[in-house]
Amino acid sequence: MSRRSFLLASALLASLACAASAQEVTVGVTLGATGPGASLGIHYKNAFQLFPKTLGGHPVKYIILEDATDPANAAKNARKLIAEDKVDVIMGSVSVPSTTQVAQIATEAKTPMIALSPVALPPDKLEWTFVVPQPVPLMMSAVVEHMKTKGVKTVGYVGFSDSWGDLVLKALEQHANPAGIKVVTNERYARADTSVTGQVIKVLAANPDAVVVGGSGTGGALPHLGLVERGYKKQIYHNHGTVNREFIKVGSKAVEGAIAPTGPLIVPEELPADNPIKKVAGEFIQRYEQTFGAGSRNAFAGYSYDGFLLLNAAVPGAMAKAKPGTPEFRSALRDAIESAKNVVGAHGIYNMTAKDHTGLDNRARVLVQVKDGAWRLMK
């Protein structure tokens, strides 16, 4: 090859490389696979290993940072991903306090965000944020409906002393009060606490017909263990932040009978054949357990996967309007996510609108119960 031919070939290769880079979508992710939310965060992070190398048919690069379930770290990661890595979209995190911090930064920077846990912000503050998990009121409505069928009149509450505990209590009261069910306690504990004896004694003193725990992950097992150890034999309910194998490992036989709302992906084999989510949920669970072991299914990996599916559906529309790495692309991607219709995920079917950045309905919830050491569908 002559020198002139060599230079021409080199220039062509460089040009092709630049073109490919210009078409690559960059996704920034902040997750807490360590710290008090580790039992959730590990699963959130695992799911990214199962994603394809493309997003909407275009190359994708994921930049995943660890935030140790610390809201300050999550905020720092978000600013780095946006300012230094120039990401097109941001995903995270594993707790409400951390995710809320990231959502505020995403709004400031006009960068679309896929929230992987609920966000403690009003809808008018979520212009750039789309929330994958089911709204807490949607899930707690299923819990209250079950209470009504069992004649529950009073319920004790013990939950985290942060925004997650606030969200669960607010949703419980929203549905319990109209149903004639009185919430008789409001006890709180920190995620890192190792004892809740004082809170449990106060709940027992109120002698409620049932108890709702507003914790998440293994932290949700602590009050349940305390109540059972002190002789409480009535129904104990949890929320969709609790449904994983680690909760059952920590709680062991004490959590047998625990009831919680969750998405269909936990029990795809038990869903009727005509359930529209059964196929997607079943295929994802099969791949997850093939990679991470039998029984490793959990709700949290499914939230990461549904976030991927939403972006996978939205990217082609944004690509038609702008190139990745530009403000125009980030704006077009935000608009495309907001226009998502009938995106079938592992948790539900997403139909976003300008007023609803979650887009889920009752198809995204089922009640499950711990039986023989596993979460099983309640029928």
Side-chain angles (χ1 to χ4, degrees):
M1 180 182 291
S2 68
R3 176 177 172 77
R4 183 171 182 276
S5 297
F6 175 78
L7 292 174
L8 286 172
S10 297
L12 178 60
L13 288 173
S15 176
L16 290 173
C18 289
S21 177
Q23 295 300 313
E24 184 178 70
V25 179
T26 305
V27 181
V29 186
T30 178
L31 295 172
T34 62
S39 70
L40 290 61
I42 289 170
H43 299 299
Y44 276 110
K45 190 174 182 179
N46 283 347
F48 283 83
Q49 297 182 38
L50 306 179
F51 296 172
K53 303 298 183 186
T54 60
L55 200 54
H58 298 271
V60 60
K61 178 172 71 176
Y62 293 99
I63 301 173
I64 302 177
L65 303 180
E66 172 64 40
D67 63 37
T69 331
D70 183 324
N73 287 341
K76 182 179 178 182
N77 287 347
R79 294 196 184 282
K80 177 185 182 303
L81 290 165
I82 292 170
E84 298 179 20
D85 299 307
K86 311 295 183 185
V87 299
D88 296 300
V89 57
I90 196 164
M91 299 177 74
S93 182
V94 309
S95 71
V96 174
S98 293
T99 307
T100 300
Q101 287 282 323
V102 178
Q104 291 173 316
I105 293 166
T107 298
E108 293 171 10
K110 298 184 184 304
T111 299
M113 175 186 178
I114 299 294
L116 299 180
S117 80
V119 180
L121 292 173
D124 63 343
K125 302 292 185 184
L126 297 177
E127 180 183 357
W128 290 81
T129 300
F130 300 86
V131 185
V132 173
Q134 300 89 341
V136 183
L138 178 72
M139 303 306 257
M140 295 312 294
S141 67
V143 170
V144 172
E145 287 168 12
H146 187 268
M147 288 180 182
K148 289 169 62 179
T149 66
K150 300 300 178 183
V152 171
K153 296 298 182 184
T154 58
V155 58
Y157 181 77
V158 53
F160 282 158
S161 54
D162 60 23
S163 47
W164 179 242
D166 295 342
L167 285 174
V168 176
L169 175 62
K170 183 179 179 182
L172 173 63
E173 291 177 332
Q174 175 184 337
H175 294 286
N177 293 339
I181 299 172
K182 186 177 181 181
V183 181
V184 295
T185 68
N186 177 13
E187 295 299 321
R188 301 302 187 96
Y189 64 105
R191 290 175 183 258
D193 283 353
T194 57
S195 172
V196 290
T197 300
Q199 294 91 331
V200 164
I201 289 173
K202 290 180 181 177
V203 172
L204 291 173
N207 192 28
D209 295 334
V211 173
V212 168
V213 178
S216 66
T218 53
L222 193 59
H224 195 126
L225 284 165
L227 287 162
V228 172
E229 286 173 359
R230 286 162 179 77
Y232 189 75
K233 298 184 182 303
K234 300 175 186 176
Q235 185 62 56
I236 301 175
Y237 295 92
H238 290 263
N239 57 78
H240 51 312
T242 302
V243 183
N244 63 8
R245 182 171 56 178
E246 287 77 4
F247 168 83
I248 297 175
K249 281 184 177 178
V250 170
S252 188
K253 293 183 178 179
V255 299
E256 278 286 315
I259 293 175
T262 189
L265 89 163
I266 294 298
V267 287
E269 302 89 345
E270 300 178 70
L271 298 173
D274 62 351
N275 185 294
I277 303 162
K278 182 181 179 75
K279 183 175 185 294
V280 173
E283 291 175 351
F284 176 71
I285 288 299
Q286 183 179 28
R287 285 194 292 133
Y288 193 87
E289 293 196 335
Q290 284 175 346
T291 305
F292 300 105
S296 59
R297 67 182 61 188
N298 63 90
F300 313 106
Y303 293 138
S304 292
Y305 184 55
D306 283 4
F308 159 78
L309 291 174
L310 279 169
L311 290 177
N312 196 55
V315 162
M319 280 288 189
K321 296 181 178 178
K323 292 182 178 179
T326 65
E328 291 78 11
F329 181 79
R330 293 193 288 274
S331 179
L333 185 57
R334 192 216 75 89
D335 293 346
I337 302 170
E338 192 175 75
S339 300
K341 294 289 181 289
N342 294 316
V343 176
V344 181
H347 274 282
I349 300 175
Y350 296 86
N351 284 286
M352 300 290 182
T353 69
K355 293 184 177 180
D356 183 2
H357 277 199
T358 295
L360 292 169
D361 55 30
N362 282 354
R363 292 173 293 183
R365 64 171 208 184
V366 297
L367 281 181
V368 293
Q369 187 170 31
V370 179
K371 288 186 177 180
D372 299 324
W375 293 103
R376 303 301 301 269
L377 180 67
M378 294 185 71
K379 300 178 179 177

